[in-house]
Amino acid sequence: MTDTSFSVTPNAAKRIAFLASKEAKPVMMRVAVLGGGCSGFQYNFSFEEQRNDDDLVIERDGAAVLVDSTSLELLQGSELDYVEEMVGSSFQVKNPNATSSCGCGNSFSV
């Protein structure tokens, strides 16, 4: 059975809710997969006011995350996390479908 889910960790939800609260209008975070990057695909994070008809909407702890149906195919079973490390903090996608990724973690191949 293929896992079609995409999940958001409590840390990611907390950070998204915090960032969204700074915007003038209600926004949702969009997680998308675009062609490009050093490994073939790259993750793109943006805030949007509107959802599209084909979007999966994940709501957790006051945060909303959008994933379009095309990106969801490459993100099946993945998890969005927010990681704080000595070198900086960032959103990261833990993607079990990625066969390789670049050193920065922003691009991957399947």
Side-chain angles (χ1 to χ4, degrees), residues 7-110:
S7 60
V8 177
T9 67
N11 276 349
K14 182 178 173 185
R15 186 65 181 172
I16 293 165
F18 171 77
L19 293 171
S21 74
K22 302 292 186 189
E23 298 293 319
K25 296 179 180 177
V27 293
M28 298 165 278
M29 177 180 256
R30 177 170 298 283
V31 178
V33 176
L34 306 175
C38 32
S39 297
F41 294 103
Q42 62 186 358
Y43 301 112
N44 184 57
F45 305 107
S46 60
F47 280 103
E48 297 188 7
E49 293 176 35
Q50 304 264 338
R51 64 171 285 202
N52 298 325
D53 290 339
D54 71 334
D55 285 338
L56 169 69
V57 180
I58 300 114
E59 294 181 329
R60 178 172 193 162
D61 301 333
V65 177
L66 305 172
V67 183
D68 65 270
S69 60
T70 303
S71 296
L72 188 59
E73 290 180 26
L74 295 165
L75 293 170
Q76 290 180 359
S78 296
E79 180 180 69
L80 176 65
D81 197 7
Y82 183 73
V83 180
E84 297 182 67
E85 298 172 332
M86 293 285 287
V87 293
S89 49
S90 64
F91 286 102
Q92 295 180 0
V93 176
K94 295 179 177 135
N95 189 340
N97 306 303
T99 56
S100 66
S101 62
C102 64
C104 64
N106 287 330
S107 70
F108 68 100
S109 62
V110 289

